[in-house]
Amino acid sequence: MRALEIHTPNGWLRGIADGEVAHWRGIPFAAPPVDELRWRAPQPVQPWSGFREADSFGPICSQPRSGGLGSAAMRRMPQSEDCLTLNVTAPADPESDALPVMVFIHGGAYVNGAGSDPAYDGSTLVRRGQVVYVSINYRLGALGWMHFDEYATADRPIDSNLGLRDQLAALAWVQEQIALFGGDPDRVTVFGESAGAISITTMLASPAARGLFSGAIAQSSAPRVVPPLEQAHRWTREYLGYLVANPDDGDEVRGMLAEVTSTELSLALSRLSAAGLRDEPAAIPVVPVVDGELVPRLPVAAIAAGEGLPVPLVIGTCDREGTLFSHFSPTHASLKPTWKQMVTKAHSFVDPVADVEHGDGDETPPATQLREIYPGYPKRGALADLAGDGAFWYPSVEVMAAHSRYAPTFAYRYDYAPRLMNMMGVNATHGGELLPVFGIYDSDIGRFMTALGGRGHYESLSATMQDQWLSFAHRHRPLADWPAYDIDHRLTMIFDRESRVESDPRADRRRAWQAVTATSSSLIE
């Protein structure tokens, strides 16, 4: 039986046992980012004396109470700016002293979510696969992803990319301390979904992430949403217009940043988003940015140029990513523009002007070709697929192709949806693969999705996907039936009732996107 009392470099922790697994919850991996540390990169933990009880989760990071697609339990959780904690789950009776480690980065549009969300309970993975599972918090909304660094002074330093720095600090903690919990720091797989996956594909282009993980799984990343710092600064100035009288007055801005409440920051972000980002309606204002330091260049371009971290990678998306956003409008205003942004971007790719600019000739113009690939455009269903493919699927294909030149890469598409989701026209949409990966059929969302049946298929698919994810964690490659991806064959695992491997699935769509985005595709073809 694993000891629940562990002496870490920062002090003693006392965990709890739960049948076959042991938990240590609410472990600080950085100093509380409050007061003078509010807008700073994460700082070292201050040691504590005596035992720190690690039997309950820490507060979730400040976020809208009504926001997102999270569970009802999440909305009741205490929240605070003092939230930089992580949680460790490990086998109570481990088969080895050094088990592979799986670190999960949650999604939520960089506005919502927490490592303690019941949907991300990794106990099933721990029991099934003899791994050590870690879930983390990171700063959200303006506190983590607005970039105020141009207002920094020698007396009032301000850092950028704070949420990404939090994630890297958590991974550094794993490298330093996970062996105390039975984990192997040389076999760390970082995996995440949506915003968590965007963070991972961004980390692949960050020199600061080197050595922090040896494998990565990106579930529904949108690798191209990462803007340059100059663009982020323009959004910041627009955002500040809701908080100060004069965004050009540095003293006023710095004073506000010290005193403003997290609620006020959240309301201002809602107003910014509700305004539709007048000048750039297809942009997302709270994301990692290319700051020239932590993230030297656009991740897709960095990976294509061989500048990414050459670690084994699993990357994929869901069959119809866009239908989640077209059917379910998140209740919080800061998330509502997501669908509008995706649609605006989709329209920009199929603007008839592009056909004119392409010129005359026998070849079908790229924008027309793209429209024809989505029958029914611009009706809602076709537009949802176009927007979802443009935001998630095709940029992920770019990363697959680019990364496969430098490291083992394994591509997938998740296609399964239960009867209710198919009847609603949502099908296998964004986030759908989380249920089988975590085996969360008894959660609120799991019971809802299987209300008309499908639990049996989920259980079978869950065993398949968990075995693949666990094989990757143990050996940094999936099971033998899942071949590596390369640009000659583009072999892709399709997860469905009967999973299978396809070569270059939806090749017609891929070629159409390549034609329209010729500049970006030239990087990888």
Side-chain angles (χ1 to χ4, degrees), residues 125-378:
L125 291 166
V126 171
R127 285 194 297 267
R128 186 178 186 89
Q130 284 286 308
V131 295
V132 175
Y133 172 77
V134 180
S135 62
I136 70 172
N137 287 347
Y138 55 89
R139 279 172 279 185
L140 299 169
L143 288 162
W145 304 97
M146 271 288 170
H147 305 278
F148 302 103
D149 51 290
E150 64 177 341
Y151 295 95
T153 65
D155 295 333
R156 295 286 295 277
I158 299 173
D159 299 308
S160 66
N161 271 325
L162 295 175
L164 187 63
R165 293 180 191 274
D166 293 344
Q167 295 167 1
L168 293 170
L171 289 167
W173 181 98
V174 169
Q175 285 297 310
E176 295 162 2
Q177 301 195 33
I178 203 63
L180 300 172
F181 300 81
D184 182 354
D186 293 328
R187 286 190 294 167
V188 174
T189 295
V190 60
F191 71 123
E193 186 267 344
S194 195
I198 297 169
S199 299
I200 289 168
T201 52
T202 303
M203 286 181 195
L204 291 176
S206 174
R210 190 172 298 275
L212 296 183
F213 53 89
S214 52
I217 302 174
Q219 302 170 207
S220 297
S221 179
R224 284 193 171 274
V225 301
V226 181
L229 187 59
E230 296 78 12
Q231 187 173 2
H233 284 164
R234 292 197 298 272
W235 296 336
T236 297
R237 285 180 170 270
E238 186 171 349
Y239 175 72
L240 287 171
Y242 297 106
L243 292 166
V244 297
N246 182 9
D248 293 322
D249 186 334
D251 289 336
E252 182 183 6
V253 171
R254 286 185 288 273
M256 178 276 298
L257 291 176
E259 301 296 333
V260 67
T261 67
S262 59
T263 299
E264 290 168 330
L265 289 168
S266 179
L267 290 173
L269 182 57
S270 297
R271 295 178 68 186
L272 174 69
S273 298
L277 297 173
R278 290 180 295 272
D279 297 329
E280 296 167 288
I284 300 174
V286 280
V287 288
V289 299
V290 178
D291 59 6
E293 175 202 352
L294 196 68
V295 185
R297 62 189 295 193
L298 181 70
V300 174
I303 294 167
E307 299 168 6
L309 304 184
V311 300
L313 172 68
V314 168
I315 182 168
T317 57
C318 295
D319 177 32
R320 303 190 69 197
E321 290 279 351
T323 56
L324 175 73
F325 304 96
S326 65
H327 282 70
F328 300 104
S329 295
T331 56
H332 189 256
S334 64
L335 294 181
K336 284 180 180 177
T338 304
W339 172 242
K340 177 183 176 183
Q341 291 156 0
M342 291 171 64
V343 168
T344 302
K345 189 67 172 176
H347 276 299
S348 74
F349 282 122
V350 294
D351 190 325
V353 173
D355 289 352
V356 176
E357 292 177 347
H358 185 77
D360 296 328
D362 295 333
E363 184 179 350
T364 303
T368 299
Q369 181 184 3
L370 189 58
R371 286 197 300 271
E372 291 174 349
I373 290 298
Y374 296 89
Y377 174 86

